[in-house]
Amino acid sequence: MTDSTPLTLLSSALADVVARTAPSVVSVHSHRARATGFAWKPGLIVTADEALADEGEVEIGLADGSRVAATIAGRDHTTDIALLRTEASVAPVKLASTVPPLGGLSIVVATHRETPSAALGMVSASGKGWRSLRGGDIDARIELDVRLRDSQQGGLALDASGDAFGMAVLGPRRVLVIPTATIERVAPQLEARGRIARGYLGLGLQPVRLDDGVGAMVMSVDKAGPSAAAGIRQGDVIVAVNDQKLSGVRALSRTLGPSSVGAVVEVAARRGGEPVSFKVTVGERPEA
C-alpha cells in the first residue's frame, strides 16, 4: 500500500465532486444538435439555448443510456437559457450563489456522446454584470480557461468545493458561465410564461449621422404599437430619450429590457427639421 500524495488526494477529490454531480446532468438531443442539460427542479431541465435546435422533437439522454421525450417549456435567446419539461426522474442540482475567485479551479460536468464527461480548468476572468450581444442581462462575467466541445454546452460549472455556480456555454473565442443568479432569475419566468418580457416601441429604426450627434430615423411604424399611439411617424428622427442623447440604435434597443414594459418614456425627435416630443408607454414585444 502506497502513501497518499497531494496529487492522488486532489485526483480523488475531483473524482468525488464529479460523481456527486453527474446524476443531475443529462444529454440533450434536438434535430442533429447535441448539448448538455441539468435538472433545475423535478421535471425541469436547464440547457443552453444556443445549442438547442429551433424546430423538431427534443429528447434527453439519461445516465442508464435510455432516452425520454422532452418539450420546450421556454427559452430566452438573450441570456442563452432554455428550459425543458420532462416526465423523467432526474435529481435536481443545488445551485450556489457564490462566484468563484479569479484563478480558482473549476470543473465542468457535462456529457459527450451520451456519456458523462468532465473538464478541468480555472477561472480566467471574473467581473461585474454585463449585457450580451442580444441584449440579455448577465449578472456576473465569468470566463473559464477550459476546452469544451459543442455537446458539452449547458454543462454545470463547479468550483473546487463542488458547488455549482452556473452553466458553461461557448462564447466568442472563450468559454463563458451563465451564473446562478441569472438562471434563478430567468428560469422561473420561462417556467411560468415560456418567455421573457421585452420592451417594445413598435419602430423600425435606421441610424443617421447628425451635425450634433447621432439619431435614429423611423423607417417603419407598427400601426398597433405604442409609438404610433403616441404620434410618432415614419421619417421622424429620434435624437434623445428621457433627456439622454441617443448614442445609437443598438443602445436604444438595449434599454428595452423586462423592467421597461409599462414605463413612460419621453422621446425627443425632429420632424422636417423642427423639434417634436412624445410620451411613449413602452409595450411588450409580441412573440415572433
Side-chain angles (χ1 to χ4, degrees), residues 7-30:
L7 284 179
T8 58
L9 292 174
L10 174 61
S11 178
S12 296
L14 293 176
D16 288 343
V17 165
V18 174
R20 291 198 305 269
T21 305
S24 298
V25 176
V26 300
S27 58
V28 178
H29 308 261
S30 61

Side-chain angles (χ1 to χ4, degrees), residues 8-281:
T8 58
L9 292 174
L10 174 61
S11 178
S12 296
L14 293 176
D16 288 343
V17 165
V18 174
R20 291 198 305 269
T21 305
S24 298
V25 176
V26 300
S27 58
V28 178
H29 308 261
S30 61
H31 191 62
R32 299 181 183 177
R34 300 291 181 269
T36 296
F38 60 89
W40 173 61
K41 286 182 178 181
L44 294 172
I45 304 294
V46 168
T47 189
D49 176 76
E50 184 74 20
L52 195 63
D54 290 333
E55 58 184 15
E57 297 179 350
V58 180
E59 292 182 324
I60 61 171
L62 305 179
D64 61 4
S66 64
R67 288 194 190 184
V68 296
T71 58
I72 299 176
R75 59 194 307 178
D76 178 35
H77 300 298
T78 70
T79 57
D80 205 6
I81 296 173
L83 191 65
L84 307 178
R85 196 180 303 277
T86 180
E87 294 184 359
S89 178
V90 184
V93 68
K94 183 178 180 181
L95 297 176
S97 59
T98 56
V99 176
L102 182 66
L105 288 179
S106 175
I107 309 167
V108 177
V109 181
T111 61
H112 179 59
R113 295 178 179 174
E114 301 191 51
T115 60
S117 69
L120 178 64
M122 66 184 298
V123 178
S124 58
S126 181
K128 297 180 180 179
W130 57 288
R131 190 180 292 270
S132 74
L133 292 176
R134 294 181 174 179
D137 291 319
I138 312 298
D139 292 78
R141 175 171 288 278
I142 308 171
E143 299 178 12
L144 301 182
D145 183 11
V146 64
R147 184 175 180 179
L148 292 185
R149 301 177 176 91
D150 288 344
S151 61
Q152 293 172 304
Q153 282 203 88
L156 276 168
L158 311 178
D159 63 17
S161 299
D163 293 329
F165 60 88
M167 175 178 67
V169 299
L170 295 177
R173 301 180 299 278
R174 60 182 63 85
V175 175
L176 302 172
V177 174
I178 308 300
T180 290
T182 305
I183 296 171
E184 297 285 24
R185 173 169 50 83
V186 172
Q189 297 180 64
L190 296 180
E191 180 185 9
R193 303 187 58 195
R195 60 194 293 265
I196 301 297
R198 301 287 173 189
Y200 181 65
L201 295 176
L203 296 174
L205 300 173
Q206 176 69 38
V208 293
R209 181 67 61 180
L210 305 174
D211 292 339
D212 55 351
V214 177
M217 178 172 285
V218 178
M219 306 302 292
S220 62
V221 183
D222 178 358
K223 294 181 179 179
S227 291
I232 296 178
R233 302 176 189 171
Q234 185 177 357
D236 290 346
V237 178
I238 297 174
V239 296
V241 177
N242 288 338
D243 295 327
Q244 296 291 321
K245 282 190 175 183
L246 205 67
S247 60
V249 173
R250 180 174 292 181
L252 176 59
S253 298
R254 287 179 176 176
T255 65
L256 301 175
S259 62
S260 70
V261 178
V264 177
V265 295
E266 184 83 22
V267 176
R270 294 175 187 170
R271 176 177 293 170
E274 296 298 321
V276 289
S277 63
F278 310 92
K279 290 186 180 295
V280 182
T281 301

